[in-house]
């Protein structure tokens, strides 16, 4: 039959005939095009339902020049991604928003620098419409790769690299107010009467960690360098940094850690060293990762950022960029910085 593919599957021609419209009209409706009157749209959709029509992905790509897939690139090794709840929450937000727009998530992980050649080949191969990337370090090659191949990209976190030729300093990103959240945490500790406030920083080649350190220094501009130790956003890194701070012999009555995992590592070391929390040392984290902050003993006071919501915003920015590009608009969308808030629990 002319209205069926081999195997009995209905064709687009069959849908058009069933709806009483041209093949071009049926194609525009099926592929999400504009300019079709509403009553015709409904007739085509009804025909799709009646016939059980499933679009041919290859043909649809030719019509729309879209694959319906988005790459999510996390510039961290697999062990870190699956042990840090930040990543699962952000990917969950991304996945929910892509699903709502009938788009597919393709996860690309970076174990080492050699993986970037593989990622570049994949992105350049036309398998995805755009990319979402986060947890980048300042020397990460990914921004140069996406510029080189012209891949629309939205970043999670404020960029820490220099824009390339033709970028005009514009890079789309979604971030939290890391600096403002850090200021609120440190001010709260001061209000509680704490006088010797240490900071466990994240890796300072990432802008989130650098911004949180800057917020700490905004409130305590004359703080001694010996009250700051750099961690790596892991629980073990927080424990090492806390031990380093205590081994320096500084009198510490409060600690602001740049994320919740490092705060839990610090909590463990403080307990091992005979310090009570919050009695001897008040402790504040950052993220409000519930499965970490609420399960700590005592539960962590922390700075909340809407991690899942930021993932959703990244998708909306990217899809808006793709829609605008389809209409000939190559303007980089405005970036978004979301608010943070202090969540008070038992540790401070």
């Amino acid at each position: 039959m002319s209205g069926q593919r081999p195997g009995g599957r209905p064709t687009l021609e069959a849908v058009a005939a069933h709806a009483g419209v041209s093949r071009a009209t049926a194609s525009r409706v099926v592929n999400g095009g504009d300019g079709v009157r509403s009553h015709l749209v409904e007739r085509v959709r009804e025909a799709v339902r009646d016939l059980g029509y499933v679009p041919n992905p290859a043909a649809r790509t030719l019509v729309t020049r879209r694959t319906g897939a988005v790459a999510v690139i996390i510039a961290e090794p697999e062990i870190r991604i699956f042990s840090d709840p930040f990543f699962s929450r952000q990917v969950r937000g991304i996945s929910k928003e892509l699903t709502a727009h009938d788009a597919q998530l393709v996860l690309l992980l970076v174990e080492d620098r050699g993986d970037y050649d593989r990622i570049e080949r994949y992105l350049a191969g036309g398998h995805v419409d755009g990319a979402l990337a986060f947890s980048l370090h300042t020397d990460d090659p990914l921004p140069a790769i996406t510029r080189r191949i012209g891949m629309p990209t939205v970043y999670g976190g404020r960029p820490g690299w220099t824009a390339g030729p033709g970028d005009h300093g514009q890079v789309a990103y979604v971030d939290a107010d890391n600096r403002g959240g850090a200021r609120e945490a440190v001010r709260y500790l001061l209000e509680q009467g704490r006088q010797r406030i240490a900071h466990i920083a994240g890796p300072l080649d990432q802008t989130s960690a650098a911004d949180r350190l800057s917020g700490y220094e905004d409130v305590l501009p004359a703080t001694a360098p010996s009250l700051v130790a750099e961690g790596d956003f892991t629980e073990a890194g927080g424990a090492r940094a806390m031990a380093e701070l205590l081994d320096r012999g500084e009198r510490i009555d409060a600690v602001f850690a740049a994320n919740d995992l490092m705060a839990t590592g610090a909590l463990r070391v403080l307990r091992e060293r005979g310090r009570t929390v919050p009695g001897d040392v008040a402790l504040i984290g950052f993220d409000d990762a519930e499965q970490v902050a609420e399960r700590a003993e005592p539960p962590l006071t922390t700075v909340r950022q809407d991690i899942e919501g930021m993932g959703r915003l990244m998708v909306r920015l990217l899809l808006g960029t793709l829609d605008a590009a389809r209409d000939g608009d190559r303007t980089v969308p405005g970036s978004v910085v979301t608010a943070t808030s202090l969540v008070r629990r038992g540790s401070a």
Side-chain angles (χ1 to χ4, degrees):
M1 292 178 60
S2 61
Q4 291 186 331
R5 300 188 187 97
R9 295 166 57 199
T11 64
L12 186 60
E13 287 80 1
V15 171
H18 193 81
V21 301
S22 69
R23 186 188 187 284
T25 296
S27 177
R28 283 200 298 274
V29 174
V30 168
N31 293 304
D34 300 323
V36 181
R37 286 173 290 178
S38 59
H39 73 284
L40 295 180
V41 170
E42 185 50 40
R43 278 163 52 183
V44 172
R45 289 176 176 169
E46 185 176 343
V48 167
R49 290 192 295 269
D50 290 347
L51 297 177
Y53 173 74
V54 178
N56 182 317
R60 184 171 185 172
T61 297
L62 288 173
V63 172
T64 64
R65 300 188 182 276
R66 298 269 283 270
T67 66
V70 169
V72 176
I73 306 168
I74 308 176
E76 298 289 352
E78 180 179 313
I79 190 170
R80 169 86 196 283
I81 291 165
F82 292 108
S83 63
D84 188 335
F86 175 91
F87 296 112
S88 63
R89 290 174 67 189
Q90 190 144 46
V91 171
R92 184 164 66 240
I94 290 170
S95 178
K96 286 181 178 179
E97 193 67 21
L98 286 173
T99 298
H101 289 86
D102 196 25
Q104 180 65 42
L105 183 157
V106 178
L107 184 60
L108 302 177
L109 305 182
V110 179
E111 284 292 330
D112 55 49
R113 302 288 282 198
D115 285 332
Y116 284 104
D117 289 338
R118 169 182 56 84
I119 289 172
E120 180 170 5
R121 289 194 302 271
Y122 186 83
L123 295 179
H127 304 291
V128 294
D129 301 317
L132 305 170
F134 52 93
S135 202
L136 272 63
H137 300 255
T138 52
D139 63 346
D140 200 293
L142 185 63
I145 290 171
T146 58
R147 285 196 301 266
R148 184 161 57 244
I149 64 179
M151 175 63 62
T153 305
V154 174
Y155 294 94
R158 180 178 63 81
W161 56 87
T162 303
D167 280 351
H168 308 295
Q170 295 183 328
V171 179
Y173 67 90
V174 175
D175 202 2
D177 183 9
N178 293 296
R179 191 165 184 165
R183 285 196 295 260
E184 184 177 11
V186 178
R187 285 175 183 144
Y188 176 76
L189 290 170
L190 289 174
E191 290 166 1
Q192 301 305 301
R194 307 293 173 161
Q195 298 179 338
R196 298 286 292 176
I197 302 171
H199 178 48
I200 297 177
L204 295 177
D205 63 345
Q206 290 188 291
T207 56
S208 58
D211 288 347
R212 291 169 198 177
L213 173 60
S214 294
Y216 168 84
E217 292 173 336
D218 288 343
V219 181
L220 300 171
T223 191
S226 56
L227 287 175
V228 177
E230 185 175 346
D232 60 1
F233 281 147
T234 69
E235 182 175 347
R240 287 192 298 269
M242 188 71 251
E244 180 182 337
L245 288 167
L246 294 174
D247 290 344
R248 291 173 186 172
E250 293 284 355
R251 182 175 55 85
I252 296 171
D253 62 7
V255 176
F256 165 52
N259 80 336
D260 290 344
L261 281 177
M262 292 197 299
T264 60
L267 181 61
R268 173 166 55 84
V269 170
L270 287 168
R271 185 178 294 118
E272 290 171 353
R273 299 287 186 96
R275 311 290 178 90
T276 62
V277 176
D280 297 326
V281 180
L283 179 64
I284 294 181
F286 201 112
D287 283 345
D288 193 27
E290 293 93 341
Q291 59 267 57
V292 177
E294 292 182 358
R295 295 178 185 176
E297 183 56 48
L300 285 177
T301 293
T302 185
V303 178
R304 183 180 190 275
Q305 56 175 333
D306 185 2
I307 302 169
E308 188 171 322
M310 290 193 296
R312 284 183 173 273
L313 284 171
M314 289 173 67
V315 173
R316 291 171 194 163
L317 279 183
L318 180 63
L319 296 183
T321 300
L322 296 174
D323 289 341
R326 182 186 60 190
D327 298 331
D329 182 358
R330 298 289 178 177
T331 304
V332 175
S335 296
V336 179
V337 177
T338 63
T340 60
S341 60
L342 187 67
V343 179
R344 296 168 178 81
R345 296 193 181 97
S347 67

